[in-house]
Amino acid sequence: MNCSKFDDSIENRKVKKLADTVRHELLKYVEAQTDQVSDDIKTDLLVDCCLAHFELTPHQVCIPGAMLLTLSNMLRKNISKLSINDQDLVQEICSVRLKEWTTDEIKAAEEEDALYVMTLNTRFLLKEMQMTVCPTTMCPVPPRMSSLQLPPGQRFGPLVQPFVSDDTRFLVFEKVFTEISTDLQSTNFVGLQKELENELGKVAKPGSMNQNYTLAHRITAALQVLAECQSSDTKETELLDSLRHSLQARQMHRASLEQLAAGLRAVELAKQHHEEELQRAIKTMDDANKFSLTLDLPAPLRKVAEDHGTKLRLEAVSALIARRDEFARSDKGGLAHSLVVTYPLKRLVSKKVVVECGWLEKKDVSLMFSLKDGGVEITVLLRRSSTDSIVQKISLSEERLRVLRKADEGDIVELPSPEDRLLSFTTSKLVELLSDAAAGR
């Protein structure tokens, strides 16, 4: 309620006086309404972030083009206030990659009335492999998008904030009041001092059944704080208010931890459901793969075809597959469950798929790639007098290919092994070559 903009007219003076009167009562009312309300946003964000990693459905947002341009200008104008680190991604996009949009361009975007669909990267941990809760935004994000930088080798920052009391002056009284056996009756510091001294005499007395040196030490510390309060004219209400706020803060922190525990149970259920979905998907893919190798139709489908006197085309194909032991696309007129492609070595060297081939470089050599069962067999063929002879066969399993797909740009793989190297491939180009071959490109 800001009254500083009112002039000094009689009518405005009345409004200012009314505002000054109401402000205090209104703030007290708002505080009372929110006193027991816990802030669940941080916990919800963390739990939702974890749950999103077990969802296979993409999360998309549709934004009008004009709104995007307006948002870009707004971020660009206030980027100095929004930047959270030296390599802030938003700052790079808005200040470097994008320009400031003119009013005419924004109006043109409104007339175009186009919607832009953005797919959110909610499963960023699968690639980033790091996460922390940004102290500025309170959102779980990769460290590169946070104002908190993790030490080298650390994958996760503090995800759950510990309880921290805002006022630590009277914390010693919390433990003392809960541990002493006497119900305190005093209403001022003088009476409280006498009661604590009496309690100290009980727990510090040697040989007493109530002897407790730990509690005696705490009572002594409480008496020292009490003496400081009396010497500094601290009011009794100040002590009580501090203890009350501290207890309320602890209660709210406990509520957030209970909410987090419930969220973790939900994450565990989502993890189990995700595992079940993956198993179903794997079974579906496995069944489809087995069917593609034999094209053997299900018995109910064959029976329905027989009852209606219909000849299914796949039956003849399935019979043809059954008569063959092995098929490859290099066998003209046949069907394939393995894919064979052959490239001259010189061509692969020119495209930098092969970066080192030793003595083979000056020979007439071809590489035959046979893709089968998720892996690949590389056969090195040397041509002499119109005849191909096998120099070596190199096998890469499906698991090995999966590792190669995760390699960084520019990585080199030596085959068949670094110790017995025959060929050196650019890993990313080799994987791309195999992907193109499998897709028939």
Side-chain angles (χ1 to χ4, degrees), residues 201-329:
K202 296 178 183 178
V203 299
K205 185 178 181 180
S208 172
M209 295 179 59
N210 298 322
Q211 186 177 4
N212 187 336
Y213 288 119
T214 302
L215 179 56
H217 177 73
R218 290 176 180 167
I219 294 177
T220 302
L223 288 171
Q224 292 176 353
V225 175
L226 196 58
E228 294 174 1
C229 292
Q230 291 174 307
S231 62
S232 60
D233 294 332
T234 302
K235 303 296 182 182
E236 288 82 356
T237 54
E238 188 175 348
L239 167 63
L240 295 176
D241 288 341
S242 176
L243 294 178
R244 178 173 62 86
H245 285 300
S246 179
L247 291 175
Q248 289 176 346
R250 290 181 187 276
Q251 183 178 356
M252 294 174 63
H253 185 70
R254 177 181 176 180
S256 67
L257 292 179
E258 292 175 347
Q259 182 191 10
L260 180 61
L264 291 177
R265 290 192 291 270
V267 170
E268 188 63 32
L269 292 175
K271 179 181 177 181
Q272 295 176 6
H273 178 72
H274 177 70
E275 183 65 28
E276 294 170 359
E277 289 289 324
L278 286 181
Q279 293 302 320
R280 281 194 288 268
I282 291 173
K283 185 179 185 305
T284 300
M285 289 295 296
D286 188 51
D287 292 344
N289 181 54
K290 291 178 180 178
F291 174 74
S292 69
L293 298 179
T294 63
L295 299 184
D296 188 15
L297 296 173
L301 187 58
R302 293 199 302 267
K303 186 176 185 306
V304 171
E306 293 174 1
D307 294 343
H308 290 78
T310 302
K311 187 69 174 178
L312 299 177
R313 294 182 180 180
L314 287 182
E315 288 185 328
V317 179
S318 177
L320 179 60
I321 291 177
R323 290 195 298 269
R324 293 176 178 266
D325 294 328
E326 184 174 337
F327 299 90
R329 290 190 182 182

Side-chain angles (χ1 to χ4, degrees), residues 2 34-35 50 63 66 69 87 100 102 125 144 191 203 237 250 259 275 304 331 350 363 390 394 437:
N2 185 5
T34 60
D35 200 22
C50 296
I63 305 179
L69 301 186
Q87 293 84 30
E100 185 172 356
T102 64
L125 270 177
R144 62 185 178 86
V203 299
T237 54
R250 290 181 187 276
Q259 182 191 10
E275 183 65 28
V304 171
D331 182 8
S350 66
K363 303 293 183 179
I390 298 176
I394 303 172

Side-chain angles (χ1 to χ4, degrees), residues 111-167:
E111 294 174 359
E112 184 182 5
D113 195 24
L115 279 178
Y116 291 83
V117 181
M118 299 184 180
T119 301
L120 304 180
N121 183 19
T122 56
R123 308 178 74 195
F124 62 86
L125 270 177
L126 300 182
K127 183 177 180 179
E128 299 279 353
M129 305 299 290
Q130 285 184 310
M131 183 174 75
T132 187
V133 175
C134 177
T136 305
T137 63
M138 295 301 173
C139 295
V141 293
R144 62 185 178 86
M145 301 177 65
S146 170
S147 57
L148 175 66
Q149 299 303 309
L150 300 182
Q154 184 174 335
R155 291 185 55 194
F156 292 93
L159 302 180
V160 181
Q161 297 298 324
F163 174 77
V164 178
S165 178
D166 295 333
D167 188 357

Side-chain angles (χ1 to χ4, degrees), residues 400-411:
R400 180 75 183 280
L401 286 180
R402 192 178 299 115
V403 174
L404 293 180
R405 291 190 186 99
K406 297 179 181 179
D408 294 330
E409 190 73 22
D411 281 0

Side-chain angles (χ1 to χ4, degrees), residues 7-17:
D7 56 39
D8 203 32
S9 63
I10 297 177
E11 183 178 353
N12 287 338
R13 283 204 299 268
K14 293 180 180 179
V15 175
K16 288 177 63 176
K17 185 176 180 180

